[in-house]
């Protein structure tokens, strides 16, 4: 079947978010015997306009069914799934984590690697065998429209997620629907059901400017399309008011943001951090960025990463330490330029943590090329390295290049993994006290997961009521992938109390290390040149207060902070005194007037 594009009544426009278009506005194709009838695009248009006479009668009320959503791939895909889930629940559909309990399966796919697409194919086969209506979303149908596995199922493109309700309704009626036309970006204020209530995944743009020879995602997500700064800032305000504690900026290349609309990433970041609560109750995590587009903004990005409400963590894929391989990949930077990115951020941002990606066995990679990659990883000892074997993706230039032998690719992957796992990045953290932000339950079901400002994972024990809070934790032991800690103090009180305390604090120093140790506001930190002495004094007083509270608790005492209202003229402000004086003068004037009138009356008599 050919792709059926949007067939809107009138040819333009559409519907506002959450509004059902007329049924004949959806491109559909009732399932027919393909051996008896070939379907042309004109046939599909005719079918779409007359489908009420051809479609089987609906036996159930739309919006009363249960949907199972499975998501593969990146955080951008996760955000898309959350938006689709939000729209479906807004129209009454229920969601389930149990596939067998669902009336329809919605599978959001990833095309980056062969294993992800194979898992999708397996799930589709399983759904067909269980006679489940299927809707396939994401990068696979968008980038590979003629894929055999997609025959006979409904598909929705990456920029058509705001039409998911229509597609689900038509699929439940037995129709096959395809909406793949790229149009305007989906609105950011669509209904959303977050997988984690405390984490907002915020897409800032779709697509990218690069043309990597191995990448299939560009085929699906297309050329760069950025949301406006104002729309993103509005979304940040909204999610903070909804209680979100972490905001993840997500895209195919964060560093390329705004180049299509005349702005850049630092402009966006500076606008967003102004909206973050000064008590550090909500943190910002900057998403994956390729080296070419941040090289010219390194100092500005470093300044944002130093902000108290921004994690000092960045994912910068290098893919290879060899310039010849990078050229074959069309990555548009050299290994030396990648080192410049890492060196600059590490120098300018205290506690900076950088994660990277490596592809082993890219076509044409020699032993010398691979050794340069190993040397790069050894030089920096990155705490996180995502190591992949090269997977040729259909339709990409790299798929036609001469491949490295499979056994060599696997051997190089094992060797690099062994090198990486020999690092001990968290050694020396034992006994250190770190502020952490707790947002998840660990997979063991016992620990809670918090992250330091450097986004190091800290596992602590405590009730789930601690989720969404910030705390001071003492690191008790370290592992290869995370550290363990015990909570000393939580900062789960109302933001107003913390902000009130912040207002009484003296101005902070522009020194980065000083700014990060005091709970000062974004405006006062890293701004004007001021002495750091007052900030350090404030920090010492806070420590003394905390020490006194801990001591009192050990003695069995319970401390309550009571606000005692002030009274007495000595505590009045200037405005209070002025108002009293005004009332007194007015009263005196009235009294004199009344006496004057009384005297005149008496004299006339």
């Amino acid at each position: 079947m050919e792709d059926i594009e949007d067939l809107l009544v009138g040819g333009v426009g559409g519907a506002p978010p959450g509004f059902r278009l007329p049924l004949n506005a959806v491109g559909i194709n009732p399932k027919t015997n393909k051996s008896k009838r070939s379907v042309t695009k004109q046939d599909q248009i005719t079918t779409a306009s007359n489908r009420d006479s051809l479609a089987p009668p609906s036996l159930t009320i739309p919006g009363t069914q249960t949907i199972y959503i499975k998501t593969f791939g990146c955080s951008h895909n996760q955000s898309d799934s959350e938006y689709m889930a939000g729209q479906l629940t807004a129209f009454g559909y229920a969601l389930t984590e149990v596939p067998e309990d669902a009336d329809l399966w919605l599978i959001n796919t990833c095309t980056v690697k062969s294993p992800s697409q194979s898992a999708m194919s397996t799930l589709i086969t399983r759904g067909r065998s269980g006679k489940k209506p299927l809707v396939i979303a994401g990068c696979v149908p968008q980038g590979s429209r003629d894929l055999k596995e997609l025959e006979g199922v409904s598909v929705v493109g990456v920029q058509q997620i705001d039409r998911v309700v229509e597609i689900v309704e038509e699929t439940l009626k037995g129709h096959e629907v395809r909406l793949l036309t790229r149009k305007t970006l989906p609105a950011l204020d669509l209904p959303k059901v977050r997988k984690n209530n405390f984490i907002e995944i915020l897409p800032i743009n779709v697509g990218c400017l690069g043309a990597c020879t191995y990448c299939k995602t560009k085929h699906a997500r297309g050329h760069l399309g950025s949301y406006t700064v104002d729309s993103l800032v509005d979304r940040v305000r909204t999610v903070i008011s909804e209680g979100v504690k972490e905001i993840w900026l997500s895209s195919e290349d964060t560093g390329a943001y705004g180049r299509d609309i005349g702005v850049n990433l630092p402009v966006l970041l500076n606008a967003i951090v102004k909206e973050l609560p000064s008590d550090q109750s909500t943190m910002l995590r900057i998403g994956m960025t390729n080296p070419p587009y941040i090289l010219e903004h390194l100092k500005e990005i470093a300044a944002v990463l130093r902000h108290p409400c921004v994690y000092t963590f960045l994912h910068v894929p290098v893919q290879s330490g060899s310039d010849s391989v990078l050229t074959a990949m069309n990555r548009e930077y050299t290994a030396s330029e990648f080192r410049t990115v890492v060196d600059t951020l590490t120098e300018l941002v205290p506690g900076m943590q950088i994660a990277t990606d490596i592809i082993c066995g890219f076509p044409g990679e020699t032993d010398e090329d691979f050794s340069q990659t190993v040397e790069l990883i050894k030089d920096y000892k990155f705490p996180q390295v995502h190591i992949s074997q090269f997977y040729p993706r259909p339709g990409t230039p790299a798929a036609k290049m001469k491949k490295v032998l499979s056994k060599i690719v696997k051997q190089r992957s094992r060797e690099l993994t062994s090198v990486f796992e020999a690092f001990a990045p968290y050694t020396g953290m034992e006994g250190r006290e770190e502020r952490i932000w707790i947002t998840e339950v660990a997979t063991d079901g016992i620990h809670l997961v918090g992250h330091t400002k450097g986004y190091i994972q800290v596992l602590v024990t405590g009730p789930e009521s601690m989720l969404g809070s910030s705390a001071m934790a003492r690191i008790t032991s370290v592992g290869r992938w995370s550290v363990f800690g015990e909570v000393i103090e939580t900062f789960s009180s109302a933001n107003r109390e913390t902000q009130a305390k912040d207002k009484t604090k003296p101005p902070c120093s522009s020194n980065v290390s000083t700014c990060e140790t005091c709970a000062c506001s974004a405006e006062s930190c890293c701004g004007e040149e001021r002495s750091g002495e007052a900030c350090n004094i404030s920090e010492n007083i806070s420590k003394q207060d905390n020490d006194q509270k801990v001591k009192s608790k050990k003695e069995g005492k319970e401390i309550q902070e009571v606000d005692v209202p002030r009274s007495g003229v000595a505590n009045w402000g200037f405005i209070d005194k002025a108002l009293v004086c005004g009332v007194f003068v007015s009263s005196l004037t009235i009294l004199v007037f009344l006496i004057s009138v009384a005297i005149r009356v008496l004299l006339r008599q």
Side-chain angles (χ1 to χ4, degrees), residues 9-20:
V9 175
V12 295
F19 180 80
R20 280 191 179 95

Side-chain angles (χ1 to χ4, degrees), residues 344-542:
T344 303
L345 294 179
T346 302
E347 177 186 356
L348 297 180
V349 185
M352 185 70 201
Q353 298 282 309
I354 294 178
T356 195
D357 298 348
I358 296 292
I359 296 176
C360 290
F362 188 82
E365 183 186 63
T366 65
D367 289 341
E368 175 59 25
D369 294 328
F370 178 68
S371 68
Q372 292 176 21
T373 299
V374 173
E375 193 65 28
L376 177 73
I377 299 303
K378 285 182 176 179
D379 286 347
Y380 289 103
K381 294 181 172 58
F382 297 105
Q384 297 181 39
V385 179
H386 309 117
I387 302 170
S388 300
Q389 298 176 30
F390 171 71
Y391 292 102
R393 306 303 297 131
T396 63
K400 300 177 182 178
M401 298 178 181
K402 185 177 180 180
K403 300 177 181 60
V404 178
L405 291 177
S406 177
K407 64 177 183 179
I408 295 178
V409 175
K410 293 178 180 178
Q411 184 269 328
R412 287 175 181 172
S413 176
R414 287 194 295 267
E415 180 182 341
L416 189 59
T417 300
S418 178
V419 169
F420 165 64
E421 291 183 347
F423 303 153
Y426 308 130
T427 299
M429 288 189 67
E430 298 94 331
R432 187 187 303 176
E433 294 183 5
E434 296 271 356
R435 182 168 182 174
I436 62 173
W437 288 264
I438 304 171
T439 55
E440 300 174 80
V441 177
T443 54
D444 62 8
I446 299 173
H447 293 88
L448 302 179
V449 180
H451 291 93
T452 68
K453 192 175 188 298
Y455 213 67
I456 298 171
Q457 183 174 269
V458 182
L459 302 179
V460 298
T461 55
E464 288 194 19
S465 58
M466 290 176 63
L467 290 172
S469 69
S470 178
M472 286 299 297
R474 180 181 293 110
I475 307 304
T476 56
S477 62
V478 301
R480 176 59 187 85
W481 312 109
S482 58
V483 302
F484 293 84
E486 58 181 5
V487 173
I488 302 172
E489 177 188 8
T490 59
F491 304 115
S492 56
S493 57
N495 292 345
R496 288 174 298 178
E497 294 180 7
T498 309
Q499 291 170 349
K501 293 177 183 178
D502 288 344
K503 290 179 181 178
T504 65
K505 292 185 178 183
C508 287
S509 166
S510 62
N511 179 274
V512 173
S513 60
T514 305
C515 281
E516 290 189 344
T517 55
C518 63
C520 52
S521 69
E523 290 76 18
S524 61
C525 266
C526 309
E528 300 179 22
E529 293 287 341
R530 296 181 179 177
S531 170
E533 183 179 354
C535 195
N536 291 330
I537 292 173
S538 174
E539 182 188 3
N540 291 335
I541 292 173
S542 298

Side-chain angles (χ1 to χ4, degrees), residues 1-2 29 31-39 150-153 176 178:
M1 170 181 140
E2 297 180 13
N29 183 48
K31 294 194 168 100
T32 60
N33 189 333
K34 294 187 179 181
S35 63
K36 295 182 179 179
R37 178 173 179 268
S38 61
V39 181
L150 300 179
E151 292 180 2
V153 300
E176 179 183 346
R178 285 178 177 252

